[in-house]
Amino acid sequence: MLFGPPGSGKGTQSKLLVRAFGIPQISTGDMLRDHVRKGNAVGTKVEAKMKAGILVKDDVVNRLVEERLQQCDCKRGFILDGYPRTQAQAEVLCRMLAARGVRQLVVHLVVDYNVIIARLSGRRQCPVCGTLYNATSRPPKVPGVCDLDGAKLVVREDDREEVVRERLDAYEKQTRPLIDYFREKGKLLYEIDASHDSPEAVFQKIEGLIRKQ
Ligand code: ADP
């Protein structure tokens, strides 16, 4: 379980973990964006909330995760990225994992507030393939253009400043309190400083924690 504020690098770390351990990344944000792109019933329901940077309803994401965990690529393990985000989600997840007898590890990526703002405001995305770039930490070869398909990069709708503020607010009020919840439940919880080190250095720390279990 990768836990941390928006911009803490959960998505980047998930991708590195997928490569190293051959287990899938389950990102509720990516799954929801996918439904919005398809314009289906779930997408229509969540689109306005996502654009505004507020959390979508617990039962919507819980159902998505529950269905996803039933797929056979999850049998050997999985990475949860951006889920759970509320206590109600954490309770449902606990039940799902207990029913499957899954061993759990929570990694909390701790990032300085100013670093988050700088990262999110410099973030650009390819509208075609979804690859993320960053003006400072991961610039494209040609400014403003995707390395992979040459498309013109855009600011993700919810990376606009006023929406970033909402997302951070949602994190502080609804998600951060889960750390105490995990602690009380006696979950294995590790904190990693993800403000200063490179993504590779952060990854090595996480990989070490997982291999130690
Ligand atoms: P970030 O972590 O950078 O804010 P995500 O891609 O994880 O970005 O999430 C984008 C948006 O999708 C959130 O602002 C929220 O509206 C919705 N979302 C994603 N995961 C959840 C979740 N577990 N519960 C409720 N809403 C979610």
Side-chain angles (χ1 to χ4, degrees), residues 1-3 83-86 89-91 93-94 104 106-108 175-189:
M1 218 181 288
L2 286 177
F3 194 84
Y83 179 91
R85 285 257 235 287
T86 64
Q89 293 176 21
E91 283 166 4
L93 176 70
C94 270
Q104 304 155 47
V106 185
V107 176
H108 176 196
T175 308
R176 190 201 278 280
L178 286 185
I179 295 171
D180 288 334
Y181 173 82
F182 291 141
R183 242 187 231 118
E184 279 159 26
K185 283 263 171 185
K187 300 235 179 287
L188 275 180
L189 173 68

Side-chain angles (χ1 to χ4, degrees), residues 9-79:
K10 300 185 297 289
T12 305
Q13 293 304 323
S14 297
K15 302 238 151 38
L16 295 169
L17 289 163
V18 165
R19 222 166 44 200
F21 291 93
I23 54 173
Q25 167 193 15
I26 299 178
S27 157
T28 43
D30 287 350
M31 288 160 84
L32 292 167
R33 272 187 291 279
D34 204 40
H35 285 286
V36 170
R37 245 190 318 267
K38 288 181 180 143
N40 60 21
V42 173
T44 317
K45 207 179 207 171
V46 302
E47 187 170 13
K49 286 213 167 80
M50 292 182 74
K51 275 197 180 139
I54 51 185
L55 296 185
V56 312
K57 285 218 166 70
D58 290 327
D59 59 338
V60 175
V61 278
N62 286 338
R63 203 167 314 129
L64 288 182
V65 173
E66 182 152 30
E67 281 167 15
R68 183 66 186 87
L69 292 186
Q70 278 161 18
Q71 290 174 18
C72 54
D73 62 339
C74 293
K75 282 214 178 89
R76 287 184 48 244
F78 42 87
I79 301 144

